[in-house]
Amino acid sequence: MEDATRQLIAEFSPMWTNKQVWEFEQTNGNLKFDLAYLEPGDKFESISWNSKYAFLGSEVRDTVVKTFDYLYDGLELWITIKNEDGLKEQYFPYLMAVLVDVMIDEEICLNFKQSNNCLIVSIDTKADVIDCKEFFEAFYHLATGFNYDIDTRIPTDETEAEIYLKRLQEEFDEKMKTKLGDKYLPRNNDPDTLNAR
């Protein structure tokens, strides 16, 4: 994982859950951003807002899905709000969570940088297995809905909590078995870890 990505993740940790993303969208109305794709190494000043690589007043999730090929081809995505002189800090964790959520099914690791009040996003083509593990662990609760710093909605009764967590684990195991077949190791941990005191 690149240092700039690691620093941004550390700055805004813990990363947002899907619930937090949804709540932010509800309280902030129609969230639109100005997006542009640039060659790596290009500067903000080189953005042509009239080019086919620029998308003014766009919804990030839809735009990234439709223009994914630009990222795949090695371009960097710059996200800002032109009329507000760039992104306010509150938008960074929101955008990072949304972008990872878009990429999570394909397990595509991203690079994040900050420059000129923009969030700059690219695909991490150098990521190895360890990098990917580290990256997605930072966003783990985005997929699971767990954020250990807030109320997780796990039942307070120990027996009910065990049943609830066991059901979540079984659903996760089933999904991973479908995806990976015999390669998947159920529970992803030692057999006694769940019951250890």
Side-chain angles (χ1 to χ4, degrees):
M1 193 187 307
E2 290 187 352
D3 287 341
T5 304
R6 188 176 280 110
Q7 286 168 8
L8 272 180
I9 288 173
E11 184 177 345
F12 295 108
S13 275
M15 293 291 102
W16 286 13
T17 65
N18 277 322
K19 180 174 182 284
Q20 288 172 295
V21 167
W22 181 82
E23 288 171 345
F24 188 77
E25 289 172 344
Q26 299 310 301
T27 56
N28 288 280
N30 195 14
L31 286 169
K32 301 287 184 186
F33 299 90
D34 301 313
L35 291 75
Y37 287 94
L38 293 177
E39 291 286 345
D42 282 356
K43 302 290 182 206
F44 178 76
E45 296 75 25
S46 64
I47 294 176
S48 169
W49 292 107
N50 297 319
S51 81
K52 72 172 189 173
Y53 295 108
F55 305 87
L56 295 170
S58 298
E59 199 278 326
V60 170
R61 190 182 302 268
D62 289 345
T63 304
V64 169
V65 168
K66 290 174 185 168
T67 61
F68 175 74
D69 284 348
Y70 296 148
L71 272 177
Y72 188 74
D73 290 340
L75 297 179
E76 292 180 332
L77 174 62
W78 289 59
I79 306 172
T80 190
I81 301 176
K82 282 178 41 188
N83 296 338
E84 294 181 19
D85 296 323
L87 290 178
K88 294 177 185 159
E89 193 172 275
Q90 66 181 359
Y91 293 121
F92 281 86
Y94 166 75
L95 289 167
M96 290 165 71
V98 166
L99 290 162
V100 170
D101 189 42
V102 168
M103 302 295 172
I104 211 162
D105 282 343
E106 304 302 323
E107 297 183 355
I108 294 171
C109 296
L110 299 174
N111 292 319
F112 294 117
K113 292 187 288 189
Q114 184 178 6
S115 179
N116 289 82
N117 296 322
C118 297
L119 176 65
I120 306 164
V121 185
S122 62
I123 292 176
D124 189 350
T125 56
K126 297 176 184 170
D128 59 19
V129 173
I130 294 168
D131 291 326
C132 284
K133 181 177 184 293
E134 183 184 5
F135 180 80
F136 283 108
E137 278 178 355
F139 291 90
Y140 177 73
H141 54 280
L142 175 72
T144 62
F146 284 103
N147 182 335
Y148 295 103
D149 287 355
I150 61 169
D151 180 13
T152 59
R153 305 269 185 239
I154 296 173
T156 50
D157 177 77
E158 190 175 336
T159 306
E160 287 180 24
E162 247 178 69
I163 292 167
Y164 176 75
L165 291 171
K166 186 174 183 229
R167 181 177 56 78
L168 283 182
Q169 182 66 56
E170 286 169 354
E171 287 173 3
F172 180 79
D173 286 343
E174 199 56 46
K175 182 179 174 186
M176 295 308 288
K177 278 181 205 167
T178 303
K179 191 170 185 176
L180 298 175
D182 293 338
K183 293 181 198 169
Y184 179 65
L185 301 173
R187 297 185 186 271
N188 257 347
N189 59 19
D190 298 323
D192 293 327
T193 303
L194 204 59
N195 298 316
R197 296 282 180 211

